[in-house]
Amino acid sequence: MANVVVIGAQWGDEGKGKITDLLSRSADVVVRYQGGVNAGHTIVVDGQVLKLHLIPSGILYPDTTCLIGSGTVVDPKVLLGELEMLASNDIDASGLKVASTAHVTLPYHRLLDQAMEQQRGNQRIGTTGRGIGPTYSDKAERSGLRMIDLLDEQLLRERLQGPLAAKNLQLQKLYGIDPLDAEEVIAEYADYGRRLSSHVVDCTRAIHDAARARKNILFEGAQGTLLDLDHGTYPYVTSSNPVAGGACIGAGVGPTLIDRVIGVAKAYTTRVGEGPFPTELEGSLSDHLCDRGGEYGTTTGRRRRCGWFDGVIGRYAVEVNGLDCLAITKLDVLDELDEIQVCVAYELDGQRVTHFPSSASEFARCKPVFETLPGWQTSTADCRSLDDLPEKAMSYLRFLADLMEVPIAIVSLGASRDQTIVVEDPIHGPKRALLSA
């Protein structure tokens, strides 16, 4: 497998957890490189549903080392809850490692996140309210706390004193929220430090030790390309870099260590929160995709907005991530449709455009240009090879590969591990196949 980055090629929620779980079978090390508890992924193993927010899904394999990298922001209360959940399901998570330099989400981060979102009113972003943005803000302002600070109560007291006083003032004066008790916060987080101390390590050194030992490393991103802080649909984005380049910064490795990048995209498109969404559907079709796809957020439970596959943002994701291949998920959700539309371009102020506009106001004015493909109207849930797929389903996949200009190497047809086709000869579009011939 070599060293692989797995990223979301849309607005997140593409099914990365299942694909990461699949690839973890061949990985020696799995590294989560950005994001926090605002992300979540659901894995179904033998009918058992496991929901994780911080811990990489590779934890389900006993011989796989799982690392939470420096670019991740860690809510220790949630992390301990996940460890307890895994233990209750007889899953050994003692091998989990957390970067000593990963920043910590504190109670005032959550309070500020929720208060600021409420204050935005009609201009709200759609944040999960889990404190991620304020945690990254403090990191950039150099007033944040890191996991290593929790391991020494006296150091924690010294490091927290100034930021907590400033945040209490902000909470009181700007938002009318009661201040936090410093001693209670110190005692709570010192306890977290004691309970997590065996997991805290120099994560970057652990990754490079694994690389020198020629072990296979899988880098796992959260959210998706269009939520990237620099390259997404700003300001309706997350506070970190989910794109493939974020793996280098968040894990502390150079780009020469990465061998390939796999993008994950649904066979349609979804989005959580606010912001433009050109292919968004309403009414019965949206309800159909939502209900069949179980489109409710792992973290918040919010209903996801659903729409047709958007090839414009797909091609953009291929470019900014340098994708080698795609994993297409939830193809089975389209099984009952008599026809399927795919966005191949936008109409912007009367002009046809095939690129993703960097201007938020322009993107909001984009109207989708669709091509219509026939549906296959038969179940694909039990298909286990490409030969099992209906020809019209294969035509749809070839169309997506051609549109995205990248081969499809994995097709997912349901939530369970076995509902997956790993393609030995990746699916190319008709144009690519013609050129290859």
Side-chain angles (χ1 to χ4, degrees), residues 132-166:
I132 306 306
T135 308
Y136 277 113
S137 293
D138 281 1
K139 177 179 179 178
E141 291 176 356
R142 292 157 293 181
S143 61
L145 272 71
R146 304 187 297 176
M147 287 299 297
I148 198 169
D149 297 324
L150 306 187
L151 305 184
D152 182 326
E153 185 169 344
Q154 183 57 39
L155 177 62
L156 172 62
R157 184 178 298 275
E158 294 171 2
R159 295 281 295 113
L160 190 58
Q161 185 175 9
L164 183 55

Side-chain angles (χ1 to χ4, degrees), residues 396-409:
Y396 182 69
L397 293 172
R398 292 190 191 101
F399 185 88
L400 297 187
D402 194 40
L403 181 65
M404 300 273 279
E405 299 180 344
V406 69
I408 296 170

Side-chain angles (χ1 to χ4, degrees), residues 43-104:
I43 304 161
V44 180
V45 183
D46 299 328
Q48 183 181 28
V49 179
L50 300 173
K51 296 186 177 184
L52 298 169
H53 296 84
L54 284 169
I55 299 177
S57 53
I59 200 70
L60 303 180
Y61 297 95
D63 296 328
T64 301
T65 300
C66 288
L67 304 174
I68 297 176
S70 298
T72 311
V73 292
V74 178
D75 186 325
K77 182 177 182 179
V78 174
L79 179 56
L80 284 164
E82 289 189 19
L83 288 169
E84 291 168 1
M85 180 273 291
L86 292 171
S88 69
N89 285 281
D90 298 321
I91 297 169
D92 180 15
S94 60
L96 175 72
K97 304 301 179 186
V98 184
S100 58
T101 50
H103 278 249
V104 176

